[in-house]
Amino acid sequence: MQTFLPYPDFRESAKALDTARLGKQRVEALQTLRALVIPGYGWQTHPAIRMWMGHVPALTMYGLAMVDEWLERGHPDNTRANIAEFAPQAGHPDYAAKIVMPPWLGDPDFHLSHRSKLVHKEPKFYAPVFPDAIPEMDYLWPEPRHEFLPQEPEGDLLWILREPHDDVDPQSLSTVALPPVNRSAAAAAAMSAGDDGYSPVYVEDGSRRPSRAPKKAPPRPQAKKPTRKRQAQEEAFRTLPGKTPVAVPFENGARFAVGQVVGRPITLADGRFGRNFEVTEIIDRSAFTYPALLQDPRVFFPVEAP
């Protein structure tokens, strides 16, 4: 994990990167932003995360610079909206000029270390670009002046429940449950392959008959065990008191069905633990105080109530 800055200027740094690394920097910036803002996301001890602590708007500017250069090179992008959500002012020139930059930005040794590591990683591309690089130089990792760790919200909470509801009217939602834990990739691939036991016949075989080789039994699907984080989310959902406010996202998180869990816990037809649910209103994503927190990857988590 790294946000490469061979130069103090974000746009100049973006233009200097090879295309593959430039594309990755969009994701690296987004992951770093989430680590800085979303409780429980992790990575807070990584030096690439720590050096940006207290400077989320500046990092947002960096991410947008990477996206803009990526788009100028003719590539499609699906990260810009998510990056901009962490500091919308970073995309407006009138406000961006007022954003406080990290104290290490402009340190000659810091930027030289990045140029040197890029040459080390991809010498054919970067050696002509950065002739001042020092091959044996390692990264310089600035420490933050103040440590900022994301905390779970307090006060009036709204629980977000990520349960897929395709082609369902949000107003008709009457039960809610955590989505099932995904099966292992191997089991999912086996189940989706539609294996009918027929072995393909190639031209050089001189035959169109099915192979006489013994049929291999398909691998048995195995349920994926929940992680500790997932278990904690399940426990929070199971113990949720009645009339607790809950919101279920629709339209890829653009709108939310907000309501309350009511009555006793129930068992759904598919065996999942569920709750009866009464929808009280439909709200837009923009109604939340800090919509970026809705990028939390957990399936059940609290945010400050709008």
Side-chain angles (χ1 to χ4, degrees):
M1 180 174 287
Q2 179 59 288
T3 45
F4 282 108
L5 280 160
Y7 303 111
D9 184 86
F10 296 159
R11 290 303 302 270
E12 187 179 5
S13 291
K15 290 183 179 297
L17 295 177
D18 65 278
T19 299
R21 194 158 277 106
L22 173 68
K24 189 177 180 181
Q25 289 310 109
R26 300 170 304 137
V27 180
E28 295 285 313
L30 181 56
Q31 296 283 54
T32 304
L33 285 165
R34 290 172 175 170
L36 291 171
V37 169
I38 295 174
Y41 194 84
W43 296 100
Q44 280 85 15
T45 60
H46 195 288
I49 304 298
R50 291 182 58 81
M51 73 180 194
W52 286 103
M53 283 183 173
H55 295 281
V56 166
L59 177 57
T60 303
M61 286 186 64
Y62 170 88
L64 294 178
M66 297 296 144
V67 172
D68 290 344
E69 176 64 20
W70 178 255
L71 291 171
E72 288 179 13
R73 297 187 191 184
H75 303 289
D77 172 74
N78 60 357
T79 64
R80 197 178 207 284
N82 284 337
I83 292 172
E85 199 169 48
F86 285 88
Q89 70 272 30
H92 300 279
D94 293 341
Y95 296 96
K98 302 176 182 178
I99 291 175
V100 177
M101 293 295 160
W104 42 259
L105 192 70
D107 180 341
D109 289 338
F110 171 83
H111 299 292
L112 177 60
S113 75
H114 281 218
R115 294 196 295 272
S116 298
K117 291 301 289 187
L118 286 168
V119 171
H120 177 76
K121 288 175 176 290
E122 200 71 43
K124 288 185 179 180
F125 183 90
Y126 288 109
V129 181
F130 305 135
D132 62 340
I134 303 174
E136 66 276 10
M137 190 175 187
D138 204 350
Y139 290 118
L140 295 183
W141 297 110
E143 274 293 298
R145 289 179 176 175
H146 303 283
E147 187 177 70
F148 296 93
L149 299 176
Q151 303 293 327
E152 295 287 5
E154 299 179 351
D156 293 334
L157 302 179
L158 178 63
W159 287 84
I160 307 299
L161 173 59
R162 296 192 186 283
E163 183 183 12
H165 290 282
D166 297 331
D167 301 324
V168 174
D169 179 4
Q171 293 282 6
S172 68
L173 193 62
S174 59
T175 61
V176 292
L178 268 64
V181 179
N182 293 331
R183 293 184 173 90
S184 68
M191 293 184 67
S192 63
D195 184 12
D196 58 3
Y198 186 88
S199 299
V201 179
Y202 299 95
V203 175
E204 58 267 30
D205 289 343
S207 172
R208 291 286 178 180
R209 292 177 296 175
S211 171
R212 296 179 179 272
K215 295 181 180 179
K216 294 183 179 179
R220 296 178 61 183
Q222 295 181 351
K224 186 176 181 180
K225 294 182 179 180
T227 63
R228 290 184 179 180
K229 287 186 177 181
R230 174 56 189 259
Q231 289 174 348
Q233 295 163 53
E234 292 176 351
E235 179 64 18
F237 181 69
R238 278 196 297 268
T239 58
L240 202 65
K243 297 186 179 179
T244 298
V246 171
V248 180
F250 284 81
E251 300 175 16
N252 294 320
R255 302 170 69 212
F256 290 77
V258 180
Q260 295 180 339
V261 292
V262 294
R264 296 181 177 181
I266 59 175
T267 301
L268 303 182
D270 59 6
R272 285 183 298 158
F273 173 87
R275 304 293 295 269
N276 289 311
F277 186 65
E278 291 182 354
V279 177
T280 56
E281 61 177 332
I282 306 297
I283 64 174
D284 292 333
R285 189 182 186 91
S286 59
F288 289 86
T289 305
Y290 192 24
L293 290 172
L294 300 171
Q295 296 184 35
D296 195 315
R298 292 175 291 182
V299 295
F300 191 63
F301 59 94
V303 297
E304 180 183 340

